[in-house]
Amino acid sequence: MFRTITISREYASGGGMIARMIAERLGWNLLDARLVEDVARRARVPTQAAERLDEQTDPWFYPLVKGLWRGGFEAAPGSDVPWPLDAQTMAELAAEIMREAARGGKSVVVGRGGQCVLRDREDVFHVSIFAPLHQKMARLQERLGPGHDYEKILEEKDRQRATYIKRFYGENWKD
């Protein structure tokens, strides 16, 4: 019996809307925007700060800067110098919240590597939502209005998601 559903999705495929419909129909918790809010609460930062890091990765040089900020690599592990919320911490907190939700059951988890975080659980059903390019472009045009390069926006957002999954989980996001 499945107690949790993960939904990975292409940008503008309608995956978030489908997840919301499933959660409402089953009477389950939806972890989409709420997941970001929960991360912000645990990190003690404004929700907007967590939203900016949602499904993002830090630049390649970030670990170096973070290590130097904390007093060099020797001091980094034991340092108690505060560091603002970063993409790594965001992903770790999101994964922690997803695991807790799966233990409780009755949750629909949208994106953020949920299919990777919960891959070893037998009580989780994984779904991937995709759509033809013309449908995604029409959905995006409706969302953003005229005057945008919709195809470029779609490619960039999906590239960001692929990079996120590869960086934090070592997986191909469409696998």
Side-chain angles (χ1 to χ4, degrees):
M1 171 194 257
F2 297 115
R3 297 168 19 99
T4 302
I5 299 170
T6 68
I7 298 183
S8 60
R9 75 275 188 240
E10 290 181 332
Y11 188 60
S13 65
M17 177 181 60
I18 292 167
R20 185 174 48 257
M21 291 170 29
I22 291 170
E24 287 173 2
R25 181 146 188 187
L26 294 173
W28 288 11
N29 295 317
L30 177 64
L31 290 179
D32 192 358
R34 194 179 113 215
L35 180 63
V36 176
E37 293 165 4
D38 289 350
V39 167
R41 197 172 8 269
R42 287 194 187 185
R44 297 183 193 109
V45 299
T47 301
Q48 297 82 357
E51 286 171 345
R52 281 192 299 275
L53 293 168
D54 189 28
E55 292 188 289
Q56 299 295 312
T57 57
D58 296 315
W60 65 268
F61 57 83
Y62 182 80
L64 174 65
V65 172
K66 186 175 180 179
L68 293 173
W69 173 268
R70 290 187 161 184
F73 292 107
E74 299 82 19
S79 176
D80 61 356
V81 176
W83 184 258
L85 180 66
D86 58 18
Q88 175 76 40
T89 305
M90 175 86 182
E92 290 168 0
L93 290 172
E96 182 180 298
I97 292 165
M98 286 182 234
R99 286 187 197 97
E100 290 170 6
R103 280 192 296 274
K106 296 186 176 185
S107 294
V108 178
V109 178
V110 181
R112 297 156 188 95
Q115 75 275 21
C116 300
V117 172
L118 304 174
R119 72 178 135 223
D120 295 329
R121 294 187 60 104
E122 293 182 9
D123 60 345
V124 178
F125 185 69
H126 304 284
V127 177
S128 182
I129 306 292
F130 57 94
L133 179 60
H134 71 276
Q135 288 180 358
K136 293 188 296 185
M137 288 181 62
R139 200 172 275 117
L140 198 55
Q141 183 176 11
E142 184 178 309
R143 187 182 305 162
L144 299 177
H148 298 276
D149 186 345
Y150 307 110
E151 195 164 353
K152 182 178 179 183
I153 293 169
L154 290 168
E155 288 173 5
E156 176 61 21
K157 192 66 169 180
D158 284 343
R159 185 195 60 73
Q160 286 174 347
R161 288 179 175 173
T163 301
Y164 176 87
I165 297 299
K166 182 58 104 177
R167 171 95 38 96
F168 295 120
Y169 304 108
E171 300 289 340
N172 177 339
W173 80 301
K174 291 198 175 190
D175 193 357

